[in-house]
Amino acid sequence: MCGIIGVYGVPSASKVTFFGLYSLQHRGQESAGIAVFDGKQVRHYRGMGLVSEVFDEKILQELPGEIAIGHVRYSTAGSSTIINAQPFCVNYAKKTIALAHNGNLVNAESLRCELEEEGHIFQTTMDSEVIVHLIVKHLKEGLVEAISKAMEKIKGAYSVVMLVDGTLVAFRDPQGFRPLSLGMLNGGYIIASETCAFDLLSAEYLRDIAPGEILVIDENGPQSFFPFEKRERLAHCIFEFIYFARPDSTIFGKNVYLVRKRLGEKLYEECPLTADFVMPFPDSGNYAAIGYAAEGRLPFEFGVIRNHYIGRTFIQPSEKLRDLSVRMKLNPVKELIRGKEVIVIDDSLVRGTTSKNRIRSIKLAGARAVHFLITCPPLRFPCFFGIDFPSKQELIAAKHSIEEIRKFLDIDTLYYLSLEGMLSAVEDLSDKVCTACFTGDYPIPVHQPFRKDFAEVK
Ligand code: AMP
């Protein structure tokens, strides 16, 4: 997964982009990059690591201009190299094109083969590069025409910002898998994956970039184009609400915190338990745990405390210290937990390994009984549209029954929110979301085997 930003007509655009990326850091921690146009040329800078590690005052000063794009990339098992960091920049016919992409194409491999047969040479293993080649191929026909032709070919999830010299462009796939919003700052424009970036910059949220829209911002102001006549089935990623997006963001027209709180309320409606208290695994379970406790009029406690200052660690804990990595991030409050029956809420169960260790640590802290409730149904199918889920083999619920998982986790109760319950929490969006990771019902047919080393998850 990734986070993207576009800035138009704002002084020190690279600094504004830097702060915007800062607030999107949760969408990607592997690499960060900014490309900026100063009226004459596009300059760019990319590096591995967090936004604050990659950029400093001096680097940002060397990126002058009022039009910029930025990108943060999620760490995946695939090739994590600077070559695959974005924005991706190419020179073509005296223009510089810089592109930042969030999402995942499902037909990138076949398109890449076609393009290679036509003589296109690729520099990276990213599917985003396929988008650039397709646009460049038709650029003579005009920018909007070229993007429309590329959009006709590419299938999958893409929220994109692009800089073509002095023009900022944003476009989004017709299903609207990933969020993308437009805001205004001091008469200029900001485009961001999530609205939390607008809040940090004191920008005003205007609207979402619509599914299937191409938005061009140049000296004539913003202009919208809709190349697709047929309206596709909308497929906003519901996992953005469950786990990925920041709770202070409004995505797909709904505030993430409030959706998570409703997920907790629905959990209580479906599985009303009593215990000494309700606690989340922070931070992902916090808001649903608040909803569950409020709905059931149950005490709420932070039974485990999160350390927010964990960077990357290259030290593998020895067998003796095998709980170290768990305790480094979450440490139980023993005095609170000892002898207590607890209801633990978390957003999702993916492989089951982290949860097993976390549950073990609260049992070691003396919990008498543990009821573990999850705010979504069992994850049984891989995501082809940008969420970094492991393969089907590694998804615990793809291979094991709920009772088997309960035994594996060594807990008293395991309950997953039903599909209906989850959908009711997103209210009127319930028929406009992608739930393929739970149901296997992919909104776009996925023909080819998914190769992560090629289709980097962004
Ligand atoms: P596990 O018990 O190993 O399945 O880990 C569950 C935890 O991983 C939950 O707290 C989730 O918030 C978190 N999680 C959610 N989505 C992902 C993901 N795509 N990759 C890794 N961890 C995730």
Side-chain angles (χ1 to χ4, degrees):
M1 187 62 85
C2 293
I4 57 172
I5 294 267
V7 174
Y8 186 93
V10 183
S12 304
S14 61
K15 264 195 189 166
V16 173
T17 306
F18 167 82
F19 286 114
L21 290 179
Y22 217 95
S23 61
L24 298 180
Q25 187 75 81
H26 61 290
R27 296 185 73 84
Q29 300 90 45
E30 182 180 287
S31 67
I34 295 176
V36 59
F37 182 68
D38 66 358
K40 285 200 188 90
Q41 60 167 312
V42 174
R43 291 187 179 86
H44 73 278
Y45 190 88
R46 301 171 306 173
M48 303 303 287
L50 302 176
V51 180
S52 59
E53 292 165 344
V54 172
F55 292 98
D56 60 25
E57 190 76 38
K58 187 168 169 286
I59 295 168
L60 292 172
Q61 262 166 17
E62 285 163 9
L63 296 170
E66 301 199 350
I67 312 171
I69 61 169
H71 187 267
V72 283
R73 183 164 182 266
Y74 191 66
S75 176
T76 67
S79 47
S80 151
T81 65
I82 187 73
I83 300 238
N84 283 346
Q86 296 195 16
F88 177 71
C89 293
V90 288
N91 293 316
Y92 172 79
K94 295 191 184 153
K95 284 187 194 315
T96 302
I97 299 174
L99 179 138
H101 169 204
N102 171 211
N104 216 96
L105 304 185
V106 293
N107 62 342
E109 267 191 88
S110 59
L111 288 174
R112 185 181 167 123
C113 290
E114 269 176 41
L115 287 160
E116 281 176 337
E117 272 167 28
E118 289 171 20
H120 290 252
I121 295 166
F122 282 78
Q123 299 172 24
T124 72
T125 56
M126 292 186 293
D127 57 353
S128 317
E129 195 180 348
V130 171
I131 308 178
V132 177
H133 281 265
L134 287 169
I135 292 172
V136 163
K137 198 174 150 182
H138 297 284
L139 208 53
K140 277 199 213 105
E141 299 157 47
L143 185 58
V144 174
E145 190 59 25
I147 297 171
S148 306
K149 292 227 162 113
M151 285 169 81
E152 270 165 32
K153 283 256 177 184
I154 56 181
K155 299 271 170 281
Y158 54 92
S159 280
V160 174
V161 285
M162 201 169 92
L163 196 63
V164 186
D165 285 348
T167 304
L168 177 69
V169 188
F171 53 96
R172 195 168 167 216
D173 62 74
Q175 280 87 7
F177 281 101
R178 303 278 147 232
L180 195 62
S181 301
L182 174 68
M184 194 161 217
L185 177 64
N186 303 331
Y189 294 93
I190 310 276
I191 292 160
S193 293
E194 291 183 34
T195 60
C196 62
F198 299 155
D199 299 337
L200 181 80
L201 299 167
S202 298
E204 181 198 347
Y205 167 80
L206 294 178
R207 64 175 178 89
D208 281 5
I209 310 293
E213 175 178 1
I214 302 172
L215 179 74
V216 177
I217 309 180
D218 58 16
E219 64 273 10
N220 303 315
Q223 275 179 283
S224 286
F225 302 88
F226 289 89
F228 297 99
E229 273 173 30
K230 177 168 82 76
R231 191 138 178 98
E232 309 254 357
R233 166 186 157 189
L234 289 177
H236 303 313
C237 170
I238 198 161
F239 212 70
E240 291 269 358
F241 283 120
I242 291 166
Y243 171 73
F244 211 76
R246 248 171 65 158
D248 48 343
S249 287
T250 292
I251 55 165
F252 316 133
K254 294 215 179 290
N255 169 257
V256 176
Y257 183 118
L258 295 177
V259 170
R260 288 188 191 161
K261 197 168 167 205
R262 275 200 294 279
L263 288 165
E265 291 161 8
K266 299 287 165 195
L267 257 180
Y268 185 80
E269 279 171 26
E270 291 186 12
C271 183
L273 301 175
T274 47
D276 290 303
F277 59 83
V278 179
M279 59 173 268
F281 277 150
D283 290 335
S284 53
N286 287 357
Y287 319 97
I290 290 171
Y292 188 95
E295 193 67 11
R297 294 172 194 270
L298 294 163
F300 174 96
E301 301 285 1
F302 279 108
V304 288
I305 303 300
R306 178 170 168 188
N307 181 345
H308 287 266
Y309 305 99
I310 307 169
R312 285 148 195 249
T313 171
F314 299 99
I315 307 160
Q316 286 301 314
S318 63
E319 182 59 20
K320 204 173 155 200
L321 296 175
R322 68 198 163 120
D323 288 328
L324 183 80
S325 55
V326 180
R327 281 204 310 272
M328 238 161 83
K329 191 162 174 192
L330 294 182
N331 188 37
V333 185
K334 292 191 272 311
E335 290 71 8
L336 195 67
I337 286 182
R338 195 175 296 126
K340 296 289 176 10
E341 178 174 1
V342 293
I343 298 168
V344 182
I345 313 275
D346 204 1
D347 67 294
S348 57
L349 253 179
V350 185
R351 290 182 175 84
T353 44
T354 314
S355 306
K356 183 164 175 71
N357 287 328
R358 288 174 175 176
I359 286 165
R360 188 168 172 271
S361 84
I362 56 176
K363 291 199 130 190
L364 282 174
R368 180 163 52 83
V370 177
H371 309 288
F372 193 37
L373 316 186
I374 307 291
T375 71
C376 65
L379 280 165
R380 295 200 167 107
F381 300 90
C383 175
F384 297 96
F385 306 111
I387 297 278
D388 181 29
F389 283 144
S391 64
K392 197 164 177 187
Q393 285 70 22
E394 290 168 278
L395 287 171
I396 190 166
K399 293 189 35 192
H400 297 281
S401 68
I402 294 175
E403 179 55 14
E404 282 168 349
I405 303 170
R406 186 193 69 74
K407 284 196 181 131
F408 166 75
L409 295 175
D410 190 21
I411 48 181
D412 301 82
T413 311
L414 172 63
Y415 186 81
Y416 286 92
L417 186 63
S418 70
L419 187 67
E420 299 70 35
M422 177 182 73
L423 291 174
S424 66
V426 294
E427 302 171 321
D428 54 314
L429 288 184
S430 64
D431 58 347
K432 300 178 185 68
V433 284
C434 175
T435 56
C437 52
F438 308 111
T439 60
D441 176 16
Y442 292 102
I444 301 178
V446 182
H447 298 299
Q448 62 195 26
F450 189 54
R451 271 182 43 203
K452 266 195 183 164
D453 55 339
F454 175 70
E456 291 297 319
V457 175
K458 285 165 299 300

